[in-house]
Amino acid sequence: DTGVSQDPRHKITKRGQNVTFRCDPISEHNRLYWYRQTLGQGPEFLTYFQNEAQLEKSRLLSDRFSAERPKGSFSTLEIQRTEQGDSAMYLCASSPFNSGGSGELFFGEGSRLTVL
Amino acid sequence: AQTVTQSQPEMSVQEAETVTLSCTYDTSESDYYLFWYKQPPSRQMILVIRQEAYKQQNATENRFSVNFQKAAKSFSLKISDSQLGDAAMYFCAYSVQGAQKLVFGQGTRLTINP
C-alpha cells in the first residue's frame, strides 16, 4: 500500500511532555498538509508544505507547535510542553502539485494524542 | 472568513433507501470548490464527490450525487441505495480556487440500519 502513513497511531503522554508525529506522504506528492481534529468536529487546517517550504501556518499553530519537512519527503509535527487541550487526532494529507485548489487530498489514518 | 455548516449531527437510513445530507457555506469568493469527504470508523478520510462552483451541472459519482444551489450557498449530498459500507462520518468541505487548504464542516454521522 502506498498511501499516506502516520506514526505513531496513538500516543498517550503527560502534560508538559514533548511529542513528535511523523507523516510519510504518497511518494509523488509534493504538497503535504497537517490538520487537527477534535472529538465531534471537522478537521482544522494547521499548516502545509510545498516540497520543503512551509507556505502557510494557521493561527491555531501556537509557538509550541513546529512542523518540518526537511527534504521534501516525510514531515514531522512536534508539540512541546503538551497541554490537555492538545488532545486530538492529528491528520496528515498529501496532494500532487497540479491539484491546485481542486482539493483532492489523500489522508492518512491519523495520530491520536491523549494528554493526561 | 469562509465557514461551512452541517446542521445534522446524526442521520440514519434503512439499507437500500435514499438519504440526503445537508451543508451550507458562506463565502464572498466566486471561484471555489465544494467537496464531500467520508471518514469511516478508524480509517482514513476519502473524497466522495467534488463540485466546481462555476459548473451548473450537479456532480454525480455512481450512487452519490449533489444538489448544488450556488445562490443559496447550499450543497447537499444524496446517497441512493444506501449500503452498510456507507456508514461513516461525512464532512462537507470548501476551498477557494488556487488555495491549498480545505475548510470543513462539523460532520454528519450516518448510520445504515440493516
Side-chain angles (χ1 to χ4, degrees):
Chain A
D1 189 294
T2 56
V4 178
S5 62
Q6 294 188 242
D7 183 71
R9 294 289 311 282
H10 299 93
K11 178 71 175 178
I12 300 174
T13 192
K14 293 183 179 179
R15 188 178 55 184
Q17 299 295 304
N18 299 343
V19 296
T20 299
F21 301 112
R22 174 179 170 127
C23 171
D24 287 88
I26 294 171
S27 58
E28 61 267 27
H29 288 180
N30 62 352
R31 288 182 170 155
L32 185 148
Y33 310 78
W34 286 99
Y35 284 80
R36 182 175 69 186
Q37 185 178 20
T38 54
L39 201 61
Q41 299 297 315
E44 297 172 296
F45 172 80
L46 293 179
T47 189
Y48 101 94
F49 293 84
Q50 182 166 307
N51 300 315
E52 66 277 9
Q54 188 174 16
L55 296 185
E56 186 174 351
K57 292 194 295 185
S58 165
R59 59 179 174 79
L60 296 175
L61 213 65
S62 76
D63 56 5
R64 296 185 299 106
F65 288 70
S66 62
E68 294 183 341
R69 194 182 183 199
K71 296 183 179 180
S73 56
F74 73 91
S75 176
T76 58
L77 177 68
E78 180 182 18
I79 308 173
Q80 296 182 326
R81 306 181 303 281
T82 53
E83 302 173 355
Q84 287 184 329
D86 297 332
S87 295
M89 177 76 83
Y90 290 85
L91 298 172
C92 178
S94 68
S95 70
F97 175 79
N98 60 3
S99 71
S102 66
E104 182 166 10
L105 302 186
F106 296 81
F107 283 86
E109 295 187 19
S111 292
R112 181 170 296 283
L113 173 64
T114 301
V115 181
L116 302 177
Chain B
Q2 296 91 5
T3 58
V4 178
T5 302
Q6 295 178 248
S7 58
Q8 306 155 315
E10 296 183 357
M11 292 282 285
S12 64
V13 65
Q14 292 295 126
E15 192 176 4
E17 296 293 309
T18 295
V19 64
T20 299
L21 308 184
S22 301
C23 173
T24 58
Y25 59 95
D26 187 23
T27 184
S28 57
E29 302 287 341
S30 57
D31 293 330
Y32 53 88
Y33 294 89
L34 295 163
F35 314 86
W36 281 97
Y37 275 83
K38 170 185 178 181
Q39 188 177 40
S42 301
R43 294 183 60 187
Q44 67 262 54
M45 195 175 307
I46 58 172
L47 179 66
V48 174
I49 197 165
R50 170 177 56 211
Q51 175 80 41
E52 292 91 337
Y54 66 87
K55 289 187 177 179
Q56 293 187 338
Q57 185 173 7
N58 289 324
T60 299
E61 290 286 345
N62 300 313
R63 297 182 296 107
F64 299 86
S65 61
V66 298
N67 183 2
F68 173 46
Q69 301 289 327
K70 190 172 184 179
K73 296 181 180 175
S74 170
F75 183 62
S76 61
L77 174 70
K78 185 171 80 172
I79 307 174
S80 303
D81 185 26
S82 297
Q83 300 176 0
L84 295 178
D86 295 333
M89 284 291 291
Y90 285 82
F91 292 97
C92 180
Y94 159 99
S95 75
V96 178
Q97 169 68 30
Q100 301 311 318
K101 63 182 180 185
L102 296 178
V103 177
F104 286 87
Q106 306 91 323
T108 298
R109 182 177 302 281
L110 178 63
T111 301
I112 311 295
N113 300 312

